[in-house]
Amino acid sequence: MDDLKAFVGNNRLLDSKTGDLDDSGRPGALLVLDPLAEGFGKLGEGPSRTVLLLVRNASGQLEKAAQNAKMVPCAQCGGIAGDPYSYAQVSKGQFTVVTEGGSREHWSNEYTFAYAPTQKDWQLHEVKREVTDQETGKHKALDLTPKDFGTMRFQDFDPATLPEVTLP
């Protein structure tokens, strides 16, 4: 069993998933790290979480490959729905992180990254954004691909640069 504590640092391990992140045939790990907070923060305020990607080096040890501190909002940033981190999943050569929240207007984001072996990096592959009015049932969804957002590396990804999905 790998010791993930060495990568957690001064954070709380919110989630971890294992799988072949870099299509190498060796299992890596995706960690979602939550900064340790003092007291209770205000709704909509607080530090974002860090998504950390770990891959195996030639000797089989896990090492940090990339990280992103903009993708998963703070614990109080999901509105009335609560913590906006929903889940992550890893499959061969790719991973997905899902966030959601809101109150009357429930929103969700699904970010999928695929490993690009020539760049030895993960690129944004697909984004699904949705919003539903819980009272009226109105729903709107956006499915975005690289033709919409261009080439975007995992560590440079900022959801704020993508089009928002809003109800009329």
Side-chain angles (χ1 to χ4, degrees):
M1 171 120 184
D2 294 305
D3 184 13
L4 299 178
K5 292 178 189 171
F7 299 99
V8 173
N10 193 25
N11 298 287
R12 179 177 67 98
L13 181 60
L14 184 63
D15 196 6
S16 67
K17 301 292 181 204
T18 58
D20 187 2
L21 285 167
D22 61 355
D23 200 12
S24 65
R26 299 183 304 262
L30 178 151
L31 308 181
V32 181
L33 305 176
D34 192 12
L36 294 175
E38 306 259 336
F40 295 100
K42 293 181 182 178
L43 194 62
E45 294 180 7
S48 61
R49 282 72 171 271
T50 298
V51 178
L52 183 62
L53 303 181
L54 308 174
V55 296
R56 297 209 181 266
N57 61 24
S59 64
Q61 299 298 310
L62 285 174
E63 61 183 24
K64 178 180 160 183
Q67 73 178 38
N68 181 296
K70 295 181 180 176
M71 188 173 11
V72 179
C74 75
Q76 296 81 20
C77 294
I80 300 300
D83 189 336
Y85 176 71
S86 189
Y87 65 92
Q89 60 187 27
V90 174
S91 57
K92 188 175 182 177
Q94 69 178 29
F95 64 92
T96 301
V97 175
V98 178
T99 60
E100 61 184 330
S103 55
R104 177 178 168 174
E105 287 190 1
H106 181 268
W107 52 266
S108 66
N109 300 297
E110 186 174 307
Y111 309 116
T112 300
F113 293 82
Y115 188 71
T118 54
Q119 288 85 20
K120 296 183 181 180
D121 205 352
W122 291 266
Q123 306 285 327
L124 187 58
H125 177 69
E126 181 180 31
V127 174
K128 295 180 181 183
R129 296 188 121 177
E130 297 184 9
V131 65
T132 302
D133 186 313
Q134 303 293 342
E135 191 172 304
T136 67
K138 289 183 181 179
H139 176 83
K140 188 172 179 184
L142 284 176
D143 290 329
L144 306 170
T145 65
K147 72 175 186 145
D148 300 305
F149 48 74
T151 301
M152 193 170 303
R153 298 174 353 144
F154 165 70
Q155 58 263 28
D156 300 329
F157 175 61
D158 183 350
T161 64
L162 299 173
E164 289 287 327
V165 58
T166 57
L167 293 172

PDB file of all heavy atoms in Angstrom, residues 13-44:
ATOM      1  N   LEU A  13      -7.106  14.990   3.488  1.00  0.00           N
ATOM      2  CA  LEU A  13      -7.368  14.207   2.285  1.00  0.00           C
ATOM      3  C   LEU A  13      -8.871  14.064   2.128  1.00  0.00           C
ATOM      4  O   LEU A  13      -9.514  13.315   2.857  1.00  0.00           O
ATOM      5  CB  LEU A  13      -6.687  12.836   2.370  1.00  0.00           C
ATOM      6  CG  LEU A  13      -6.854  11.927   1.165  1.00  0.00           C
ATOM      7  CD1 LEU A  13      -6.289  12.570  -0.103  1.00  0.00           C
ATOM      8  CD2 LEU A  13      -6.190  10.577   1.425  1.00  0.00           C
ATOM      9  N   LEU A  14      -9.437  14.820   1.198  1.00  0.00           N
ATOM     10  CA  LEU A  14     -10.877  14.806   0.960  1.00  0.00           C
ATOM     11  C   LEU A  14     -11.285  13.570   0.178  1.00  0.00           C
ATOM     12  O   LEU A  14     -12.323  12.963   0.438  1.00  0.00           O
ATOM     13  CB  LEU A  14     -11.286  16.081   0.213  1.00  0.00           C
ATOM     14  CG  LEU A  14     -12.758  16.305  -0.044  1.00  0.00           C
ATOM     15  CD1 LEU A  14     -13.525  16.442   1.264  1.00  0.00           C
ATOM     16  CD2 LEU A  14     -12.960  17.563  -0.895  1.00  0.00           C
ATOM     17  N   ASP A  15     -10.454  13.174  -0.803  1.00  0.00           N
ATOM     18  CA  ASP A  15     -10.780  12.015  -1.624  1.00  0.00           C
ATOM     19  C   ASP A  15      -9.508  11.509  -2.296  1.00  0.00           C
ATOM     20  O   ASP A  15      -8.558  12.275  -2.509  1.00  0.00           O
ATOM     21  CB  ASP A  15     -11.805  12.401  -2.700  1.00  0.00           C
ATOM     22  CG  ASP A  15     -12.490  11.205  -3.350  1.00  0.00           C
ATOM     23  OD1 ASP A  15     -12.281  10.053  -2.904  1.00  0.00           O
ATOM     24  OD2 ASP A  15     -13.250  11.413  -4.317  1.00  0.00           O
ATOM     25  N   SER A  16      -9.494  10.232  -2.629  1.00  0.00           N
ATOM     26  CA  SER A  16      -8.405   9.659  -3.417  1.00  0.00           C
ATOM     27  C   SER A  16      -8.971   8.574  -4.314  1.00  0.00           C
ATOM     28  O   SER A  16      -9.861   7.827  -3.910  1.00  0.00           O
ATOM     29  CB  SER A  16      -7.299   9.096  -2.520  1.00  0.00           C
ATOM     30  OG  SER A  16      -7.756   7.975  -1.806  1.00  0.00           O
ATOM     31  N   LYS A  17      -8.466   8.526  -5.522  1.00  0.00           N
ATOM     32  CA  LYS A  17      -8.855   7.508  -6.503  1.00  0.00           C
ATOM     33  C   LYS A  17      -7.577   6.977  -7.122  1.00  0.00           C
ATOM     34  O   LYS A  17      -6.635   7.734  -7.383  1.00  0.00           O
ATOM     35  CB  LYS A  17      -9.736   8.082  -7.610  1.00  0.00           C
ATOM     36  CG  LYS A  17     -11.022   8.719  -7.133  1.00  0.00           C
ATOM     37  CD  LYS A  17     -11.962   7.698  -6.567  1.00  0.00           C
ATOM     38  CE  LYS A  17     -13.249   8.373  -6.122  1.00  0.00           C
ATOM     39  NZ  LYS A  17     -13.961   7.669  -5.131  1.00  0.00           N
ATOM     40  N   THR A  18      -7.533   5.694  -7.387  1.00  0.00           N
ATOM     41  CA  THR A  18      -6.370   5.113  -8.038  1.00  0.00           C
ATOM     42  C   THR A  18      -6.753   4.604  -9.416  1.00  0.00           C
ATOM     43  O   THR A  18      -7.915   4.268  -9.667  1.00  0.00           O
ATOM     44  CB  THR A  18      -5.771   3.963  -7.211  1.00  0.00           C
ATOM     45  OG1 THR A  18      -6.776   2.978  -7.008  1.00  0.00           O
ATOM     46  CG2 THR A  18      -5.246   4.456  -5.877  1.00  0.00           C
ATOM     47  N   GLY A  19      -5.772   4.572 -10.300  1.00  0.00           N
ATOM     48  CA  GLY A  19      -5.984   4.084 -11.651  1.00  0.00           C
ATOM     49  C   GLY A  19      -4.819   4.482 -12.529  1.00  0.00           C
ATOM     50  O   GLY A  19      -3.908   5.189 -12.105  1.00  0.00           O
ATOM     51  N   ASP A  20      -4.861   4.031 -13.749  1.00  0.00           N
ATOM     52  CA  ASP A  20      -3.786   4.260 -14.710  1.00  0.00           C
ATOM     53  C   ASP A  20      -3.941   5.639 -15.350  1.00  0.00           C
ATOM     54  O   ASP A  20      -4.393   5.759 -16.491  1.00  0.00           O
ATOM     55  CB  ASP A  20      -3.806   3.151 -15.765  1.00  0.00           C
ATOM     56  CG  ASP A  20      -2.626   3.199 -16.701  1.00  0.00           C
ATOM     57  OD1 ASP A  20      -1.749   4.069 -16.532  1.00  0.00           O
ATOM     58  OD2 ASP A  20      -2.588   2.363 -17.624  1.00  0.00           O
ATOM     59  N   LEU A  21      -3.555   6.665 -14.640  1.00  0.00           N
ATOM     60  CA  LEU A  21      -3.735   8.052 -15.093  1.00  0.00           C
ATOM     61  C   LEU A  21      -2.991   8.380 -16.373  1.00  0.00           C
ATOM     62  O   LEU A  21      -3.475   9.151 -17.200  1.00  0.00           O
ATOM     63  CB  LEU A  21      -3.269   9.021 -13.995  1.00  0.00           C
ATOM     64  CG  LEU A  21      -4.187   9.185 -12.806  1.00  0.00           C
ATOM     65  CD1 LEU A  21      -3.452   9.901 -11.678  1.00  0.00           C
ATOM     66  CD2 LEU A  21      -5.427   9.944 -13.204  1.00  0.00           C
ATOM     67  N   ASP A  22      -1.795   7.828 -16.545  1.00  0.00           N
ATOM     68  CA  ASP A  22      -0.963   8.203 -17.690  1.00  0.00           C
ATOM     69  C   ASP A  22      -0.860   7.105 -18.747  1.00  0.00           C
ATOM     70  O   ASP A  22       0.028   7.138 -19.597  1.00  0.00           O
ATOM     71  CB  ASP A  22       0.424   8.645 -17.234  1.00  0.00           C
ATOM     72  CG  ASP A  22       1.181   7.553 -16.500  1.00  0.00           C
ATOM     73  OD1 ASP A  22       0.604   6.464 -16.251  1.00  0.00           O
ATOM     74  OD2 ASP A  22       2.348   7.776 -16.169  1.00  0.00           O
ATOM     75  N   ASP A  23      -1.783   6.134 -18.712  1.00  0.00           N
ATOM     76  CA  ASP A  23      -1.841   5.059 -19.710  1.00  0.00           C
ATOM     77  C   ASP A  23      -0.506   4.309 -19.811  1.00  0.00           C
ATOM     78  O   ASP A  23      -0.090   3.902 -20.886  1.00  0.00           O
ATOM     79  CB  ASP A  23      -2.251   5.628 -21.071  1.00  0.00           C
ATOM     80  CG  ASP A  23      -2.806   4.563 -22.006  1.00  0.00           C
ATOM     81  OD1 ASP A  23      -3.090   3.442 -21.545  1.00  0.00           O
ATOM     82  OD2 ASP A  23      -2.934   4.846 -23.214  1.00  0.00           O
ATOM     83  N   SER A  24       0.146   4.121 -18.659  1.00  0.00           N
ATOM     84  CA  SER A  24       1.440   3.455 -18.611  1.00  0.00           C
ATOM     85  C   SER A  24       1.325   1.995 -18.185  1.00  0.00           C
ATOM     86  O   SER A  24       2.309   1.261 -18.216  1.00  0.00           O
ATOM     87  CB  SER A  24       2.357   4.176 -17.617  1.00  0.00           C
ATOM     88  OG  SER A  24       1.822   4.041 -16.298  1.00  0.00           O
ATOM     89  N   GLY A  25       0.130   1.605 -17.750  1.00  0.00           N
ATOM     90  CA  GLY A  25      -0.048   0.265 -17.211  1.00  0.00           C
ATOM     91  C   GLY A  25       0.261   0.174 -15.727  1.00  0.00           C
ATOM     92  O   GLY A  25       0.118  -0.883 -15.124  1.00  0.00           O
ATOM     93  N   ARG A  26       0.665   1.304 -15.126  1.00  0.00           N
ATOM     94  CA  ARG A  26       0.988   1.353 -13.700  1.00  0.00           C
ATOM     95  C   ARG A  26      -0.033   2.254 -12.994  1.00  0.00           C
ATOM     96  O   ARG A  26      -0.292   3.366 -13.456  1.00  0.00           O
ATOM     97  CB  ARG A  26       2.399   1.890 -13.485  1.00  0.00           C
ATOM     98  CG  ARG A  26       3.493   1.040 -14.122  1.00  0.00           C
ATOM     99  CD  ARG A  26       4.882   1.589 -13.815  1.00  0.00           C
ATOM    100  NE  ARG A  26       5.071   2.976 -14.205  1.00  0.00           N
ATOM    101  CZ  ARG A  26       5.650   3.386 -15.330  1.00  0.00           C
ATOM    102  NH1 ARG A  26       6.085   2.507 -16.207  1.00  0.00           N
ATOM    103  NH2 ARG A  26       5.803   4.659 -15.579  1.00  0.00           N
ATOM    104  N   PRO A  27      -0.562   1.805 -11.861  1.00  0.00           N
ATOM    105  CA  PRO A  27      -1.558   2.628 -11.172  1.00  0.00           C
ATOM    106  C   PRO A  27      -0.959   3.865 -10.518  1.00  0.00           C
ATOM    107  O   PRO A  27       0.054   3.786  -9.835  1.00  0.00           O
ATOM    108  CB  PRO A  27      -2.143   1.680 -10.120  1.00  0.00           C
ATOM    109  CG  PRO A  27      -1.068   0.682  -9.873  1.00  0.00           C
ATOM    110  CD  PRO A  27      -0.312   0.539 -11.169  1.00  0.00           C
ATOM    111  N   GLY A  28      -1.602   4.985 -10.761  1.00  0.00           N
ATOM    112  CA  GLY A  28      -1.258   6.237 -10.107  1.00  0.00           C
ATOM    113  C   GLY A  28      -2.381   6.601  -9.159  1.00  0.00           C
ATOM    114  O   GLY A  28      -3.215   5.760  -8.817  1.00  0.00           O
ATOM    115  N   ALA A  29      -2.410   7.854  -8.738  1.00  0.00           N
ATOM    116  CA  ALA A  29      -3.456   8.290  -7.810  1.00  0.00           C
ATOM    117  C   ALA A  29      -3.852   9.731  -8.075  1.00  0.00           C
ATOM    118  O   ALA A  29      -3.016  10.555  -8.458  1.00  0.00           O
ATOM    119  CB  ALA A  29      -2.980   8.136  -6.361  1.00  0.00           C
ATOM    120  N   LEU A  30      -5.113  10.002  -7.886  1.00  0.00           N
ATOM    121  CA  LEU A  30      -5.660  11.352  -7.920  1.00  0.00           C
ATOM    122  C   LEU A  30      -6.079  11.669  -6.495  1.00  0.00           C
ATOM    123  O   LEU A  30      -6.838  10.903  -5.895  1.00  0.00           O
ATOM    124  CB  LEU A  30      -6.859  11.421  -8.866  1.00  0.00           C
ATOM    125  CG  LEU A  30      -7.575  12.760  -8.991  1.00  0.00           C
ATOM    126  CD1 LEU A  30      -8.193  12.879 -10.385  1.00  0.00           C
ATOM    127  CD2 LEU A  30      -8.649  12.958  -7.949  1.00  0.00           C
ATOM    128  N   LEU A  31      -5.563  12.757  -5.938  1.00  0.00           N
ATOM    129  CA  LEU A  31      -5.916  13.181  -4.585  1.00  0.00           C
ATOM    130  C   LEU A  31      -6.643  14.516  -4.651  1.00  0.00           C
ATOM    131  O   LEU A  31      -6.250  15.394  -5.423  1.00  0.00           O
ATOM    132  CB  LEU A  31      -4.667  13.348  -3.712  1.00  0.00           C
ATOM    133  CG  LEU A  31      -3.675  12.203  -3.634  1.00  0.00           C
ATOM    134  CD1 LEU A  31      -2.524  12.569  -2.696  1.00  0.00           C
ATOM    135  CD2 LEU A  31      -4.332  10.918  -3.207  1.00  0.00           C
ATOM    136  N   VAL A  32      -7.664  14.670  -3.823  1.00  0.00           N
ATOM    137  CA  VAL A  32      -8.316  15.961  -3.641  1.00  0.00           C
ATOM    138  C   VAL A  32      -7.996  16.386  -2.220  1.00  0.00           C
ATOM    139  O   VAL A  32      -8.372  15.707  -1.257  1.00  0.00           O
ATOM    140  CB  VAL A  32      -9.841  15.894  -3.876  1.00  0.00           C
ATOM    141  CG1 VAL A  32     -10.467  17.273  -3.699  1.00  0.00           C
ATOM    142  CG2 VAL A  32     -10.143  15.335  -5.268  1.00  0.00           C
ATOM    143  N   LEU A  33      -7.263  17.496  -2.113  1.00  0.00           N
ATOM    144  CA  LEU A  33      -6.780  17.974  -0.817  1.00  0.00           C
ATOM    145  C   LEU A  33      -7.546  19.208  -0.386  1.00  0.00           C
ATOM    146  O   LEU A  33      -7.736  20.144  -1.170  1.00  0.00           O
ATOM    147  CB  LEU A  33      -5.285  18.292  -0.905  1.00  0.00           C
ATOM    148  CG  LEU A  33      -4.396  17.162  -1.408  1.00  0.00           C
ATOM    149  CD1 LEU A  33      -2.956  17.639  -1.533  1.00  0.00           C
ATOM    150  CD2 LEU A  33      -4.489  15.948  -0.500  1.00  0.00           C
ATOM    151  N   ASP A  34      -7.960  19.211   0.863  1.00  0.00           N
ATOM    152  CA  ASP A  34      -8.722  20.310   1.439  1.00  0.00           C
ATOM    153  C   ASP A  34      -7.839  21.011   2.476  1.00  0.00           C
ATOM    154  O   ASP A  34      -7.397  20.368   3.436  1.00  0.00           O
ATOM    155  CB  ASP A  34      -9.975  19.749   2.105  1.00  0.00           C
ATOM    156  CG  ASP A  34     -10.984  20.799   2.481  1.00  0.00           C
ATOM    157  OD1 ASP A  34     -10.855  21.954   2.043  1.00  0.00           O
ATOM    158  OD2 ASP A  34     -11.935  20.462   3.215  1.00  0.00           O
ATOM    159  N   PRO A  35      -7.545  22.313   2.279  1.00  0.00           N
ATOM    160  CA  PRO A  35      -6.721  23.009   3.280  1.00  0.00           C
ATOM    161  C   PRO A  35      -7.373  22.959   4.654  1.00  0.00           C
ATOM    162  O   PRO A  35      -8.595  23.079   4.779  1.00  0.00           O
ATOM    163  CB  PRO A  35      -6.668  24.451   2.772  1.00  0.00           C
ATOM    164  CG  PRO A  35      -7.083  24.391   1.350  1.00  0.00           C
ATOM    165  CD  PRO A  35      -7.979  23.199   1.220  1.00  0.00           C
ATOM    166  N   LEU A  36      -6.562  22.751   5.665  1.00  0.00           N
ATOM    167  CA  LEU A  36      -7.098  22.754   7.020  1.00  0.00           C
ATOM    168  C   LEU A  36      -7.547  24.167   7.353  1.00  0.00           C
ATOM    169  O   LEU A  36      -6.788  25.122   7.214  1.00  0.00           O
ATOM    170  CB  LEU A  36      -6.038  22.287   8.017  1.00  0.00           C
ATOM    171  CG  LEU A  36      -5.610  20.828   7.861  1.00  0.00           C
ATOM    172  CD1 LEU A  36      -4.474  20.516   8.825  1.00  0.00           C
ATOM    173  CD2 LEU A  36      -6.778  19.896   8.078  1.00  0.00           C
ATOM    174  N   ALA A  37      -8.796  24.302   7.746  1.00  0.00           N
ATOM    175  CA  ALA A  37      -9.362  25.625   8.024  1.00  0.00           C
ATOM    176  C   ALA A  37      -9.523  25.814   9.521  1.00  0.00           C
ATOM    177  O   ALA A  37      -9.791  24.873  10.260  1.00  0.00           O
ATOM    178  CB  ALA A  37     -10.706  25.772   7.332  1.00  0.00           C
ATOM    179  N   GLU A  38      -9.388  27.049   9.922  1.00  0.00           N
ATOM    180  CA  GLU A  38      -9.595  27.409  11.325  1.00  0.00           C
ATOM    181  C   GLU A  38     -11.030  27.900  11.475  1.00  0.00           C
ATOM    182  O   GLU A  38     -11.425  28.870  10.835  1.00  0.00           O
ATOM    183  CB  GLU A  38      -8.630  28.527  11.721  1.00  0.00           C
ATOM    184  CG  GLU A  38      -7.182  28.215  11.427  1.00  0.00           C
ATOM    185  CD  GLU A  38      -6.433  27.787  12.659  1.00  0.00           C
ATOM    186  OE1 GLU A  38      -6.864  28.147  13.749  1.00  0.00           O
ATOM    187  OE2 GLU A  38      -5.431  27.085  12.511  1.00  0.00           O
ATOM    188  N   GLY A  39     -11.846  27.206  12.250  1.00  0.00           N
ATOM    189  CA  GLY A  39     -13.219  27.628  12.477  1.00  0.00           C
ATOM    190  C   GLY A  39     -14.092  27.407  11.248  1.00  0.00           C
ATOM    191  O   GLY A  39     -13.719  26.747  10.297  1.00  0.00           O
ATOM    192  N   PHE A  40     -15.265  27.982  11.273  1.00  0.00           N
ATOM    193  CA  PHE A  40     -16.210  27.841  10.177  1.00  0.00           C
ATOM    194  C   PHE A  40     -16.171  29.089   9.316  1.00  0.00           C
ATOM    195  O   PHE A  40     -16.279  30.196   9.818  1.00  0.00           O
ATOM    196  CB  PHE A  40     -17.630  27.624  10.716  1.00  0.00           C
ATOM    197  CG  PHE A  40     -17.776  26.323  11.458  1.00  0.00           C
ATOM    198  CD1 PHE A  40     -17.754  26.294  12.836  1.00  0.00           C
ATOM    199  CD2 PHE A  40     -17.912  25.135  10.768  1.00  0.00           C
ATOM    200  CE1 PHE A  40     -17.883  25.098  13.531  1.00  0.00           C
ATOM    201  CE2 PHE A  40     -18.042  23.928  11.441  1.00  0.00           C
ATOM    202  CZ  PHE A  40     -18.022  23.916  12.830  1.00  0.00           C
ATOM    203  N   GLY A  41     -16.032  28.910   8.017  1.00  0.00           N
ATOM    204  CA  GLY A  41     -16.012  30.028   7.089  1.00  0.00           C
ATOM    205  C   GLY A  41     -17.411  30.467   6.719  1.00  0.00           C
ATOM    206  O   GLY A  41     -18.390  29.779   6.965  1.00  0.00           O
ATOM    207  N   LYS A  42     -17.490  31.627   6.113  1.00  0.00           N
ATOM    208  CA  LYS A  42     -18.762  32.142   5.639  1.00  0.00           C
ATOM    209  C   LYS A  42     -19.153  31.443   4.352  1.00  0.00           C
ATOM    210  O   LYS A  42     -18.295  31.038   3.567  1.00  0.00           O
ATOM    211  CB  LYS A  42     -18.668  33.643   5.383  1.00  0.00           C
ATOM    212  CG  LYS A  42     -18.461  34.466   6.621  1.00  0.00           C
ATOM    213  CD  LYS A  42     -18.411  35.928   6.269  1.00  0.00           C
ATOM    214  CE  LYS A  42     -18.150  36.774   7.505  1.00  0.00           C
ATOM    215  NZ  LYS A  42     -18.040  38.193   7.173  1.00  0.00           N
ATOM    216  N   LEU A  43     -20.448  31.341   4.117  1.00  0.00           N
ATOM    217  CA  LEU A  43     -20.963  30.743   2.898  1.00  0.00           C
ATOM    218  C   LEU A  43     -20.363  31.451   1.693  1.00  0.00           C
ATOM    219  O   LEU A  43     -20.373  32.673   1.611  1.00  0.00           O
ATOM    220  CB  LEU A  43     -22.493  30.839   2.873  1.00  0.00           C
ATOM    221  CG  LEU A  43     -23.208  29.979   1.845  1.00  0.00           C
ATOM    222  CD1 LEU A  43     -22.947  28.503   2.090  1.00  0.00           C
ATOM    223  CD2 LEU A  43     -24.696  30.249   1.873  1.00  0.00           C
ATOM    224  N   GLY A  44     -19.781  30.684   0.780  1.00  0.00           N
ATOM    225  CA  GLY A  44     -19.197  31.250  -0.431  1.00  0.00           C
ATOM    226  C   GLY A  44     -17.774  31.734  -0.295  1.00  0.00           C
ATOM    227  O   GLY A  44     -17.209  32.264  -1.242  1.00  0.00           O
TER     228      GLY A  44
END
